[in-house]
Amino acid sequence: MSDKHLIRETIARRAEQEIESGFYVNLGIGMPTLVANYLQKDKQVVLQSENGLLGIGPFPTEDELDPDLINAGKETVTAIQGAAFFDSAESFGMIRGGHIDIAILGGMEVSKNGDLANWMIPGKMIKGMGGAMDLIHGAKRIIVIMEHLSKNGKHKIVNKCALPLTGKGVVDRIITERAVLDVTDNGLKLVEILDGSTISEIQAATEPNLIIEETLLNQ
Amino acid sequence: MKQIHSSFQDAVKNIQDGSTLMVGGFGLVGIPENLLLALVETGVKDLTIISNNCGVDDWGLGLLLKNKQIKKMVGSYVGENKEFERQVLAGEIEIELIPQGTLAERIRAGGAGIPAFYTPAGVGTSIAESKEIKEFDGKEYLLETALTADYSLIRAIKGDKMGNLVYNKTARNFNPMIAAAGKITIAEVEELVEIGQIESDQIHTPGVYVQNIIVGHQEKRIERKTIKQI
């Protein structure tokens, strides 16, 4: 699978399955935002945007365009019927207070114990962490979605993050175009293979030693 | 009741070099556009700016940046600005990056008389360096202190002559907390109405937090226009 678009679609479709009907969901900027495009119609889901909107709707038509209505990625959006607007302190109270069921975020590196690095590359321009550091401590479940390997083929799922951390021990599950991995007390567990690879191929692309889900061993 | 200005130059004329300013807005949404333009004209410098973002190259706080009026920027995300990057790399500007929820709460605390609070955001990261860490129920938290400002510049869609304000959609963002955390708060409103014309139950920011009001026409530039693909 080399096509960038296909990779992103595979990851977004798999990430969508993490969202249950009735959930309040925060989707990070970039690839996580795509997950909304694949939401099953029969699921009732409310999307939270940390700039002060509970109930993000689809992108607007030209007629609906409102400069005062954006998501956290600063894209123009609409609000669903029943949406609520509030200030930033309330928004992060909602997040920190554990009222958001799941946050799906992008990642640069994730370690075997669930440390996440996704906000800064030393030596490059520092853009800022935005709301990521608050989100990872507040949402009930943290899913990181990212490509399995870096552009130059290096491990992104590592024993110890080399990049500055966004948070320690915060990630519950990693979804890549190749696999789904859970952070457990005993280490990183391979729970699904998405691209037809063998277990040893996934292990080769992943730095930490993997615990293998039993159902995968039997295949 | 409140001082109602008719000129933006007049509204910002007391702001001195070296002042600390809080500025409302998220991206370009809910920023006090005309107050910022007036500040560029005054040329006041060595400002410490507390705001979630720092505008874009040619609008909002980016204009103050380009004019080298900012000494220190305190925010959570400053990614959309090439001039910012240049000034940081050249050591011309100080920068303090704060997790967005911590920034919002530090400003809220500043306006609400709470000197400090504990939050989990930043535990185990570089943000925690030199900060007190305390455990509650087996989980670690950082001590973060309140932020206040000499002046707060905010925007609302509607205000009345008692200083009561109403915001529009996601243009509310940091504005209500910033209104309360400034010693002097100047509100740029799109519409100014008579006392009693905003229903008491619909007021977002009570007038006690607002000292100065001015009406301004908003350009409302859009940073990322995204339209439904049909």
Side-chain angles (χ1 to χ4, degrees):
Chain A
M1 200 185 293
S2 59
D3 177 32
K4 195 97 184 163
H5 180 77
L6 191 57
I7 287 175
R8 289 162 71 88
E9 186 179 323
T10 303
I11 295 173
R13 280 186 190 282
R14 180 57 190 81
E16 188 276 337
Q17 295 172 28
E18 301 294 318
I19 300 172
E20 294 174 24
S21 192
F23 268 16
Y24 290 95
V25 180
N26 184 294
L27 300 174
I29 294 165
M31 185 159 55
T33 305
L34 291 180
V35 175
N37 298 347
Y38 301 102
L39 272 174
Q40 304 284 320
K41 295 273 183 287
D42 57 350
K43 285 185 193 171
Q44 282 198 328
V45 172
V46 179
L47 300 176
Q48 200 254 15
S49 193
E50 61 264 29
N51 55 316
L53 165 59
L54 190 63
I56 309 173
F59 291 132
T61 61
E62 285 284 354
D63 288 343
E64 291 168 332
L65 192 69
D66 183 340
D68 280 346
L69 183 45
I70 61 167
N71 63 18
K74 301 176 183 89
E75 298 167 322
T76 47
V77 292
T78 57
I80 61 168
Q81 278 214 319
F85 296 112
F86 35 83
D87 66 55
S88 300
E90 167 130 33
S91 183
F92 281 95
M94 196 178 285
I95 288 168
R96 257 188 261 100
H99 306 281
I100 302 299
D101 294 292
I102 191 170
I104 301 176
L105 304 169
M108 296 175 186
E109 283 179 337
V110 180
S111 78
K112 61 182 176 188
N113 60 329
D115 297 353
L116 170 66
N118 75 348
W119 78 282
M120 175 188 176
I121 302 173
K124 284 203 178 176
M125 174 53 189
I126 307 168
K127 291 176 185 290
M129 67 292 280
M133 287 190 182
D134 310 271
L135 264 168
I136 54 176
H137 288 285
K140 288 182 195 153
R141 191 165 157 76
I142 304 295
I143 311 291
V144 169
I145 63 175
M146 61 182 188
E147 289 183 40
H148 205 97
L149 292 168
S150 75
K151 275 187 214 116
N152 18 15
K154 290 214 173 84
H155 289 143
K156 295 181 72 169
I157 304 167
V158 292
N159 286 318
K160 190 173 186 299
C161 293
L163 293 169
L165 293 184
T166 310
K168 260 190 144 130
V170 291
V171 178
D172 294 301
R173 173 168 273 192
I174 307 164
I175 300 173
T176 76
E177 76 283 15
R178 302 187 64 179
V180 179
L181 303 109
D182 280 347
V183 178
T184 73
D185 291 339
N186 303 319
L188 214 50
K189 186 175 191 181
L190 177 63
V191 292
E192 281 174 47
I193 296 174
L194 302 177
D195 69 344
S197 297
T198 62
I199 290 170
S200 58
E201 283 166 340
I202 298 293
Q203 177 64 75
T206 311
E207 191 184 37
N209 285 325
L210 295 174
I211 303 164
I212 312 299
E213 174 78 38
E214 266 182 47
T215 51
L216 288 176
L217 288 169
N218 299 336
Q219 277 169 18
Chain B
M1 286 287 301
K2 300 288 172 180
Q3 188 166 9
I4 297 165
H5 293 276
S6 52
S7 120
F8 283 95
Q9 285 75 11
D10 214 34
V12 302
K13 71 169 189 287
N14 291 330
I15 299 177
Q16 303 287 320
D17 288 356
S19 297
T20 297
L21 266 55
M22 283 185 189
V23 180
F26 182 99
L28 299 179
V29 175
I31 61 170
E33 299 180 2
N34 295 290
L35 287 169
L36 293 175
L37 287 169
L39 272 182
V40 172
E41 269 182 55
T42 67
V44 61
K45 59 181 192 302
D46 294 330
L47 299 172
T48 294
I49 301 287
I50 301 170
S51 188
N52 189 54
N53 313 97
C54 198
V56 295
D57 279 321
D58 62 349
W59 195 236
L61 283 167
L63 297 170
L64 289 180
L65 191 70
K66 200 193 288 186
N67 215 20
K68 304 228 176 124
Q69 292 171 268
I70 305 177
K71 184 183 74 176
K72 182 176 180 184
M73 178 68 208
V74 180
S76 91
Y77 189 83
V78 290
E80 320 301 337
N81 201 311
K82 285 193 192 70
E83 173 62 15
F84 194 90
E85 182 169 356
R86 193 198 64 72
Q87 289 189 19
V88 171
L89 296 174
E92 292 171 11
I93 190 169
E94 286 174 63
I95 174 172
E96 184 181 347
L97 291 167
I98 299 175
Q100 197 171 117
T102 299
L103 178 64
E105 195 62 17
R106 287 180 71 184
I107 296 169
R108 197 192 75 79
I114 295 170
F117 59 92
Y118 289 98
T119 178
V123 169
T125 76
S126 57
I127 300 302
E129 282 165 20
S130 77
K131 283 180 187 151
E132 184 195 317
I133 292 172
K134 192 165 173 176
E135 218 179 276
F136 295 91
D137 294 330
K139 197 178 163 187
E140 288 187 325
Y141 296 83
L142 288 184
L143 186 68
E144 293 280 5
T145 54
L147 289 169
T148 54
D150 300 315
Y151 292 89
S152 283
L153 309 184
I154 62 166
R155 181 176 107 199
I157 193 166
K158 197 188 274 186
D160 70 19
K161 290 178 177 173
M162 283 181 85
N164 296 308
L165 303 176
V166 175
Y167 306 98
N168 187 40
K169 303 191 177 83
T170 55
R172 191 180 323 184
N173 56 62
F174 283 80
N175 282 298
M177 292 85 73
I178 286 182
K183 286 191 194 87
I184 294 174
T185 293
I186 311 172
E188 175 172 336
V189 299
E190 291 171 57
E191 186 191 359
L192 182 65
V193 298
E194 293 301 324
I195 293 169
Q197 288 190 355
I198 304 176
E199 225 184 292
S200 304
D201 252 342
Q202 306 304 319
I203 290 166
H204 295 141
T205 290
V208 67
Y209 301 122
V210 177
Q211 282 71 45
N212 297 267
I213 309 171
I214 185 161
V215 179
H217 169 75
Q218 304 297 317
E219 246 185 64
K220 295 193 182 177
R221 290 197 191 172
I222 294 176
E223 208 168 327
R224 291 207 182 123
K225 181 173 165 180
T226 34
I227 293 291
K228 192 190 284 182
Q229 307 294 322
I230 302 164

